[in-house]
Amino acid sequence: MNIWIITTGSSDVQLKNKDRWNALHSKARSQLGTSKQFSFIESEQSGKKLWRYPSRAMGIVYGQALGENYKDLEFPLVNSFSNYLKKEQIELNRIIVLITDQSDVVSAANKDKPSHPYWQDTCTLKPILQHYLENAFPDVAMDSDRDFIVLKPQSNSVGLADWNEVLNLVQQEFIQLDIPVDATVYVIHQAGTPEISSAFHFSSFAFNTLKNFPLK
């Protein structure tokens, strides 16, 4: 069995064309919960110009208009690893995606600030990422509830900016993954915050020792 585990961050879903952003943003304003505008970051990947908005906003704005606007989206990191798996002819049996949601530990005042880390959460990207993965790997049956793991600190915690808190959350999720001992697991831990990346890296190797399955 081959399993691919993906962590997610603010760079995972970007725009190849930002011409429709303002119109779609206006339609999604009530779901966003803030009337403030979001600034973008311009980048270049493999010679292509891309634009990145905060991931929580990106998921809300594009998630409800995915059918007709999917062509605007680019997936730089996930594309690279998808191409690697296909090039190596690795047949996946399961894909697990780690997404983040800090809504329970962020005040209403901070949710109204587009620059706050709350807006970098990736939970709203779930339908976009699932659409991408199901198209890229049509033979892998994804279970929306089982295979999208939400890293969600509770209201009495310090959130995802604390190393110990994140490590505890990631370890708890690893325990519940129910991965067969003979599975080969491919992991992407470059995405997300440094705390999440480090916790995921540490936990994957620790879990490898406990469960005795090879990690790539």
Side-chain angles (χ1 to χ4, degrees), residues 31-77:
Q31 287 79 38
L32 287 165
T34 179
S35 59
K36 295 181 178 177
Q37 297 294 320
F38 295 90
S39 58
F40 62 84
I41 296 174
E42 187 175 315
S43 64
E44 188 171 307
Q45 300 283 343
S46 302
K48 294 187 292 186
K49 186 176 289 187
L50 300 174
W51 293 268
R52 172 163 56 90
Y53 285 89
S55 46
R56 182 183 285 272
M58 180 79 82
I60 295 172
V61 170
Y62 267 83
Q64 64 179 15
L66 196 55
E68 60 270 34
N69 297 288
Y70 182 73
K71 60 183 178 296
D72 289 349
L73 303 175
E74 181 69 22
F75 305 82
L77 288 175

Side-chain angles (χ1 to χ4, degrees), residues 159-199:
L160 298 180
D162 181 84
W163 294 89
N164 291 326
E165 176 75 17
V166 173
L167 180 58
N168 288 335
L169 285 170
V170 170
Q171 288 176 332
Q172 290 171 20
E173 296 300 339
F174 258 89
I175 292 171
Q176 300 178 55
L177 287 179
D178 191 28
I179 295 175
V181 295
D182 60 344
T184 299
V185 181
Y186 297 83
V187 298
I188 297 179
H189 55 80
Q190 289 91 337
T193 66
E195 292 86 357
I196 293 173
S197 178
S198 296

Side-chain angles (χ1 to χ4, degrees), residues 44-209:
E44 188 171 307
Q45 300 283 343
S46 302
K48 294 187 292 186
K49 186 176 289 187
L50 300 174
W51 293 268
R52 172 163 56 90
Y53 285 89
S55 46
R56 182 183 285 272
M58 180 79 82
I60 295 172
V61 170
Y62 267 83
Q64 64 179 15
L66 196 55
E68 60 270 34
N69 297 288
Y70 182 73
K71 60 183 178 296
D72 289 349
L73 303 175
E74 181 69 22
F75 305 82
L77 288 175
V78 184
N79 263 339
S80 296
F81 286 96
S82 294
N83 291 336
Y84 167 80
L85 292 169
K86 292 175 181 179
K87 180 182 177 181
E88 297 297 317
Q89 298 183 334
I90 296 168
E91 296 185 5
L92 295 175
N93 303 99
R94 183 181 176 190
I95 301 173
I96 299 169
V97 184
L98 187 72
I99 53 180
T100 61
D101 183 6
Q102 300 176 88
S103 57
D104 287 347
V105 298
V106 177
S107 67
N110 283 328
K111 290 177 182 179
D112 195 43
K113 300 175 182 176
S115 60
H116 193 274
Y118 163 81
W119 288 102
Q120 301 301 331
D121 281 338
T122 56
C123 53
T124 63
L125 296 176
K126 179 178 176 179
I128 296 175
L129 293 169
Q130 185 166 354
H131 184 83
Y132 169 88
L133 292 167
E134 287 177 343
N135 279 276
F137 300 95
D139 294 332
V140 181
M142 292 196 71
D143 184 313
S144 180
D145 294 324
R146 180 195 67 170
D147 295 328
F148 280 84
I149 310 300
V150 185
L151 204 61
K152 186 173 184 178
Q154 300 303 305
S155 56
N156 60 345
S157 74
V158 293
L160 298 180
D162 181 84
W163 294 89
N164 291 326
E165 176 75 17
V166 173
L167 180 58
N168 288 335
L169 285 170
V170 170
Q171 288 176 332
Q172 290 171 20
E173 296 300 339
F174 258 89
I175 292 171
Q176 300 178 55
L177 287 179
D178 191 28
I179 295 175
V181 295
D182 60 344
T184 299
V185 181
Y186 297 83
V187 298
I188 297 179
H189 55 80
Q190 289 91 337
T193 66
E195 292 86 357
I196 293 173
S197 178
S198 296
F200 193 83
H201 195 187
F202 177 82
S203 297
S204 63
F205 282 105
F207 198 65
N208 181 40
T209 301

